[in-house]
Amino acid sequence: MSVEFIGFISNNNSSETIVRAGPVLDRYHIETVAKAHENAGFDRALLAFHSTTPDSLQVAQHVLGITDRLNVLIAQRPGFTAPTLIARQLAAVDQLYGGRVALHVITGGNATELRQDGNTLDDKDERYARTDEFLDVVRSEWTSEKPFSYDGKYYKVENGFSQVKPYRSEGIPIFFGGASDAAIEVAGKHADTFALWGESYAQVRDVTSRVRAAAARHGRPTPRFSLSVRPILADTEEKAWAKAEEILARATALQDKTGYRKPADGHATAGARRLLALAEQGSRIDKRLWTEIAKLTGANSNTTALVGTPEQVAEVFGDYYDLGISHFLIRGFDPLIDAIEYGRELIPLTRKLIAGRQVARGVAAE
């Protein structure tokens, strides 16, 4: 099972510890960080989606245009663009850039935020039912060799057809996120890769087993699994933990300026509730999973960290790999500097460690 590293390209230089100083859509930041990811050895980079931020598809096209090898993971929410249209948009970009596109499907757990984009479905399970139909239509648009019709509750298509198909015969990979029972069921039917936030070993075992069971119910192979986490690195473990505490202090002091705070309405998605429950168990979980930023901000994004030397964090990635994780989405609190740092040691060390385990298992199997 190959390993893949996914980075994160934000629209501007900001984070829980950095107050944005430039424009909301900072072209020069995007270009610099994209090229840094490519040079650091990342396989692809995520372009996130929010109801108030620049469109991820357009930003991804710019990233593809100024890089040569870096793949993109484009986040989109069902319900706001017709599935026939987004399927053709993604297929066209995939063709233009030689198969470097993947789709990250985020149904969205915060009904208040979703209404900013005109959403009318406040029931989360119903939104996942809509997502199911959305992906049915997207897949048909990508694969059907003749006009097709679809008669669903949320989408109806008569003689739909796309002349442009994805670059590769296997299509555009679909990543899928969500932790509720409804999310797991839709993932089992549609996901090529299922994305988890940075959870404990026990939580990873739980979620992956639920996804495997859902895929089996739909007669599909088990998806790949991705873990999203924030590595905090230093040349000694003591320095790494001190760096983590500095990050927490700065994030706490800057909450009013950065906007990374717990939601005022107390809203938390199923995934956020899992991270917050983990934080209640303690600030340090398993070998070196750190939960303080999740606790501080309400965990409504990937906010848990792995703290240690590059060798120590690579070892934990090896543990997750043994649990079935093949993709690691890593981003730091200093977007550019951390991406460069990850490429210097963490990424090559992890690849070497996992390759060594694969060889050892091959020898043992013989």
Side-chain angles (χ1 to χ4, degrees):
M1 183 171 65
S2 60
V3 64
E4 180 171 307
F5 280 95
I6 306 170
F8 179 80
I9 299 174
S10 56
N11 295 308
N12 50 68
N13 188 36
S14 61
S15 74
E16 294 89 341
T17 61
I18 298 175
V19 178
R20 176 176 61 85
V24 169
L25 186 61
D26 189 333
R27 169 188 167 188
Y28 300 107
H29 169 80
I30 292 167
E31 292 176 353
T32 302
V33 173
K35 291 175 181 178
H37 275 75
E38 184 164 65
N39 292 333
F42 283 84
D43 297 283
R44 72 178 69 244
L46 171 67
L47 290 304
F49 187 104
H50 189 276
S51 61
T52 64
T53 58
D55 176 53
S56 56
L57 177 57
Q58 294 179 44
V59 178
Q61 286 182 268
H62 186 61
V63 168
L64 289 166
I66 56 96
T67 57
D68 298 315
R69 303 176 306 279
L70 187 69
N71 298 304
V72 294
L73 179 57
I74 304 172
Q76 290 286 292
R77 284 180 179 161
F80 307 103
T81 303
T84 49
L85 175 58
I86 193 66
R88 295 197 303 277
Q89 289 173 330
L90 291 167
V93 175
D94 198 46
Q95 282 285 350
L96 289 170
Y97 292 99
R100 292 162 60 193
V101 169
L103 169 64
H104 191 31
V105 179
I106 302 293
T107 297
N110 188 328
T112 301
E113 187 227 328
L114 293 170
R115 283 194 290 271
Q116 292 178 294
D117 264 338
N119 177 65
T120 58
L121 299 180
D122 282 348
D123 181 79
K124 186 170 64 175
D125 287 355
E126 193 173 3
R127 291 201 298 272
Y128 276 108
R130 180 176 64 187
T131 295
D132 182 22
E133 290 190 7
F134 175 90
L135 289 173
D136 281 343
V137 175
V138 166
R139 291 279 196 192
S140 294
E141 194 84 357
W142 284 344
T143 61
S144 182
E145 295 301 327
K146 59 183 181 180
F148 69 93
S149 294
Y150 187 88
D151 186 16
K153 179 179 178 181
Y154 307 99
Y155 297 104
K156 298 183 186 300
V157 178
E158 294 182 10
N159 295 318
F161 182 72
S162 175
Q163 295 182 32
V164 61
K165 306 296 184 186
Y167 180 81
R168 294 188 173 86
S169 59
E170 60 268 28
I172 291 173
I174 291 178
F175 287 61
F176 194 93
S180 67
D181 289 340
I184 297 292
E185 196 61 31
V186 178
K189 180 179 176 182
H190 293 286
D192 297 308
T193 300
F194 184 85
L196 302 90
W197 283 345
E199 302 191 13
S200 68
Y201 298 154
Q203 288 175 317
V204 168
R205 291 188 190 97
D206 170 60
V207 172
T208 56
S209 66
R210 291 164 61 204
V211 173
R212 288 188 179 97
R217 286 193 293 273
H218 290 281
R220 297 184 67 242
T222 299
R224 306 287 291 272
F225 292 103
S226 172
L227 186 89
S228 300
V229 73
R230 315 284 289 273
I232 299 174
L233 307 177
D235 56 6
T236 69
E237 183 173 6
E238 182 180 14
K239 289 180 181 178
W241 284 111
K243 184 177 177 181
E245 293 300 329
E246 290 172 4
I247 288 170
L248 177 60
R250 183 167 177 79
T252 303
L254 293 176
Q255 273 191 304
D256 288 334
K257 294 181 179 179
T258 63
Y260 287 90
R261 345 179 31 97
K262 291 181 181 179
D265 58 4
H267 175 85
T269 64
R273 289 195 297 271
R274 288 175 65 88
L275 291 189
L276 292 173
L278 188 65
E280 289 302 314
Q281 298 176 27
S283 63
R284 302 186 187 186
I285 304 295
D286 296 328
K287 289 181 178 177
R288 51 193 66 260
L289 186 66
W290 188 58
T291 64
E292 287 293 337
I293 297 295
K295 187 175 182 179
L296 176 71
T297 61
N300 278 310
S301 64
N302 56 319
T303 44
T304 49
L306 290 175
V307 182
T309 66
E311 292 82 3
Q312 289 171 328
V313 173
E315 179 187 10
V316 174
F317 282 157
D319 294 342
Y320 282 117
Y321 180 84
D322 289 343
L323 294 176
I325 303 295
S326 60
H327 294 52
F328 297 99
L329 196 161
I330 55 175
R331 66 184 179 103
F333 294 93
D334 191 330
L336 175 61
I337 300 303
D338 286 339
I340 294 169
E341 183 178 54
Y342 297 156
R344 186 177 298 120
E345 293 187 81
L346 179 60
I347 291 175
L349 281 170
T350 304
R351 293 192 192 278
K352 182 178 179 181
L353 181 151
I354 289 175
R357 292 190 181 188
Q358 290 173 328
V359 169
R361 286 171 185 163
V363 172
E366 295 174 356

